Amino acid sequence: MTEVVALGEVMLRFDPGEGRISTARTFHVWEGGGEYNVARGLRRCFGRRTAVVTSLADNAVGRLVEDLILQGGVDTSLIRWVPDDGIGRSARNGLNFVERGFGIRGALGVSDRAHTAASQLSAGDVDWDAVFAAGVRWFHTGGIFAGLSDTTADLAEEAMTAARRHGVTVSYDPNYRPSLWAGRGGPERARETDLRLARHADVIVGALGMAGRHPGDARFGADEVPDALASVARLLPGAQVLATTLREVPSAGVNDWGSAAWSAKTGTVVGPSMPGLHVLDRIGSGDGFAAGLIHGLLADAPLARALAYGTALGALTMTTPGDVAMASLAEVEALIAGASAAVRR
C-alpha cells in the first residue's frame, strides 16, 4: 500500500562530473526533481512505499526516466503518458544540466524544461479521490512544480485540497527557482503562489523561504531563525510544523549544515549542527532533509528526532553524486549517533 504520494516533474539530469557543461564530452545521467527526490529518499532509505504523480512524453527519453524511477523503487503507475509527436513540438521531457562546482566555483544548473509534459498538467487531469482513497498517509508537493506554469499551480491546489479532504497530511516546500518565474512576475508572483498553496499544508519544509517580503529577500543568522519561523507561523496559522535547513557556504566543497523547526507544541527546535561538512554534490540535499523529516513525523517521532533524520539524510545526500539520496537507514542512524567517517570492514 502506498504511504506517500509526491506531485512534481521528474527531469533527466546530465552531469559532467568534475568538468564544465560548456566543455563536456561525456555526461552521466540521473533522474531528479525536487518533489520526486523526496519520494525516492523515503523509499530507498526508509523503506516507505511511495508513488510519484507526473507526466512524461512517451518516447525513449521518457522511458529512460521511467526506468530510473523504477530503479529507485518509486511506483510509476500514476505517471500520465503523453503521445510523442517526434520532435517535441507539443510536449517534451525536461532536461537539467548540472555542474557540482568546486572551491570558489559554485554549482551551476542549466535547465531545459519549457513546454514539458509535466508543465502542461492541469486541474482535472488526476482523479485525486481515487489516489487518496487507497490508504495514502502523506502528500508532498512544492514550489518547483507550482512554478512550471499557471496550470500546475492549479493542479497542486486541487491535490492539496483533496488530500486534506481525505485526512492525508500535506507538506509543501516553497523551493524557489528564479528561472521559473523570470518573465512571469518574478519573486513577487512566486510569493503569491506559495501563500496560496502553503495555506493548504500541515507541514512546510524550507519554511524560511516564506519569511521576508518575497523568496530570497532576506537571509537569517542563527539567532534570527526563531523569530523568522514565528513570523511564518503567524502568516500560516494552519501549519502544524515549520522546518528549514540552515546552510552557510564557505566554498562549494565545504558547507556548514544544520536545521531548525517549529511547532506550536515545542516552539523552535534546533537540529544537529554539522560545521565544515565536505560536499561532493549539494543538489538534492534539501530534498533529502525533507524525506528524513517526513519519515520521522510519519513514525510519530518527537520533532527533534524527525529533524535529526532530515539533517542526517540531507548531509549524506551531499556525499554522493546526483540528485537522489543513496544512504541507508543504518548510515543515517549512525550519523545521528555521532559516527565518524572511519572505514567499516
Side-chain angles (χ1 to χ4, degrees):
M1 179 184 296
T2 298
E3 284 187 276
V4 180
V5 171
L7 170 65
E9 181 168 50
V10 187
M11 295 192 294
L12 190 64
R13 170 177 166 175
F14 288 78
D15 183 351
E18 272 108 55
R20 305 298 306 271
I21 295 169
S22 59
T23 56
R25 296 297 178 267
T26 60
F27 291 92
H28 198 95
V29 296
W30 313 90
E31 86 281 23
E35 299 83 7
Y36 161 79
N37 295 341
V38 177
R40 192 189 190 282
L42 282 160
R43 180 68 185 97
R44 296 299 287 176
C45 181
F46 300 108
R48 296 191 177 274
R49 300 286 180 178
T50 63
V52 62
V53 178
T54 192
S55 184
L56 294 168
D58 194 357
N59 56 27
V61 175
R63 292 298 172 177
L64 171 57
V65 175
E66 179 196 33
D67 189 66
L68 293 167
I69 295 171
L70 288 168
Q71 291 179 46
V74 177
D75 186 346
T76 61
S77 64
L78 299 177
I79 292 178
R80 184 173 185 266
W81 291 96
V82 175
D84 177 40
D85 64 15
I87 61 171
R89 181 183 290 109
S90 59
R92 51 191 292 271
N93 298 304
L95 308 178
N96 192 25
F97 297 80
V98 180
E99 293 178 10
R100 302 175 199 170
F102 183 83
I104 60 172
R105 176 173 59 85
L108 172 67
V110 180
S111 60
D112 180 17
R113 66 194 308 177
H115 312 298
T116 59
S119 73
Q120 297 177 48
L121 285 169
S122 60
D125 284 343
V126 179
D127 185 350
W128 294 112
D129 287 326
V131 171
F132 295 129
V136 173
R137 298 178 59 195
W138 197 288
F139 174 74
H140 178 74
T141 193
I144 295 178
F145 179 73
L148 294 179
S149 68
D150 292 341
T151 64
T152 55
D154 292 341
L155 179 63
E157 184 170 35
E158 180 185 65
M160 297 168 87
T161 301
R164 295 292 293 271
R165 187 167 64 246
H166 284 267
V168 174
T169 302
V170 175
S171 57
Y172 181 79
D173 186 344
N175 228 347
Y176 174 62
R177 296 289 185 271
S179 59
L180 293 178
W181 296 97
R184 297 183 55 234
E188 291 80 10
R189 179 76 182 283
R191 171 50 50 83
E192 291 175 8
T193 302
D194 282 337
L195 285 174
R196 170 187 162 195
L197 298 178
R199 291 186 174 121
H200 298 288
D202 303 287
V203 177
I204 306 295
V205 185
L208 284 186
M210 300 294 297
R213 293 173 300 170
H214 55 69
D217 174 56
R219 290 184 57 80
F220 302 94
D223 59 336
E224 300 173 303
V225 170
D227 287 343
L229 290 177
S231 72
V232 177
R234 290 191 294 271
L235 190 66
L236 302 171
Q240 303 300 305
V241 173
L242 307 174
T244 187
T245 59
L246 302 174
R247 186 199 304 264
E248 295 294 332
V249 187
S251 78
V254 178
N255 287 189
D256 296 333
W257 176 253
S259 62
W262 171 96
S263 74
K265 180 180 179 180
T266 64
T268 299
V269 176
V270 177
S273 178
M274 300 182 186
L277 183 69
H278 288 264
V279 176
L280 176 65
D281 186 341
R282 65 170 281 178
I283 306 300
S285 54
D287 306 323
F289 170 77
L293 177 80
I294 291 169
H295 166 72
L297 295 176
L298 279 169
D300 293 323
L303 183 56
R305 182 68 177 181
L307 200 56
Y309 277 125
T311 309
L313 184 57
L316 288 166
T317 301
M318 287 187 271
T319 69
T320 53
D323 287 32
V324 298
M326 300 181 188
S328 68
L329 177 56
E331 289 171 326
V332 168
E333 291 181 334
L335 182 57
I336 293 171
S340 73
V343 176
R344 293 189 298 275
R345 299 184 190 274

